[in-house]
Amino acid sequence: PRQKEAKVVANIDANVDSDAAERMMPPKTKKPKRSLSAYNFFFQAERQNLLQGLSCQGKKPRKSHGKMGFADMARAISAKWKQITPQDKVHFDQLATLDYERYQKEMAIWKEEIKDFPELLP
C-alpha cells in the first residue's frame, strides 16, 4: 500500500494548489475488518470461560496466559461447539449476522472513499 500511495503522490503535479492536491491524495482509511462467524463468537466466549476456570501452570511463554496451549484449547472449544444445541447457537448466529451487517456498511463507506483510487482496490 505504501508504494501505491507513493506512486499517486509522485503523480501529483507540483504546480497544483494544495486543495486540489488533497483531493488527489489517497484516503488514510484502512479496509474494514471482515465479519466474524458464529463459531468465532462462540470461541471468544468459551475461551474466556475456560481461562477463568484454570490456574497458571508454571512457566509462562511470551505474552501468553500460561494456562493452556492453543491447540488443546481449540480442541476443547471445538468439541463443545459440536455438542451445543441449535437453540444455543441462535445467540451466536445473531451476533454473526449483526457483525456481517456492520462489515457490509463499513465496506460500502470504504469503497466510496477510495473509488477515485482504483489502484488501492484489492
Side-chain angles (χ1 to χ4, degrees):
R2 289 223 186 271
Q3 292 173 345
K4 290 180 183 178
E5 288 178 18
K7 288 179 185 176
V8 172
V9 172
N11 292 335
I12 296 175
D13 187 10
N15 297 330
V16 178
D17 64 28
S18 62
D19 290 336
E22 284 182 22
R23 284 190 301 259
M24 296 173 78
M25 295 286 290
K28 299 285 184 196
T29 60
K30 292 186 177 185
K31 190 173 181 181
K33 290 188 175 189
R34 74 183 171 92
S35 59
L36 298 177
S37 68
Y39 178 74
N40 294 135
F41 284 108
F42 177 78
F43 193 98
Q44 288 176 348
E46 283 300 310
R47 179 182 185 275
Q48 291 300 320
N49 292 339
L50 194 61
L51 292 179
Q52 286 174 356
L54 296 174
S55 61
C56 192
Q57 297 175 350
K59 189 172 123 178
K60 183 176 176 182
R62 63 194 143 128
K63 293 187 181 181
S64 174
H65 45 75
K67 296 179 181 181
M68 179 182 233
F70 181 78
D72 293 332
M73 182 185 314
R75 275 188 221 102
I77 293 173
S78 67
K80 285 185 182 182
W81 176 253
K82 291 174 185 175
Q83 293 176 354
I84 67 172
T85 64
Q87 293 84 9
D88 294 335
K89 286 185 183 181
V90 169
H91 170 70
F92 299 106
D93 288 332
Q94 290 172 344
L95 290 174
T97 302
L98 291 173
D99 197 39
Y100 182 73
E101 291 169 1
R102 178 227 21 111
Y103 174 72
Q104 294 290 33
K105 289 176 188 174
E106 289 179 5
M107 277 300 289
I109 293 168
W110 180 77
K111 285 181 180 180
E112 184 65 28
E113 289 175 352
I114 66 162
K115 72 178 180 181
D116 296 331
F117 304 96
E119 66 275 1
L120 295 179
L121 289 171

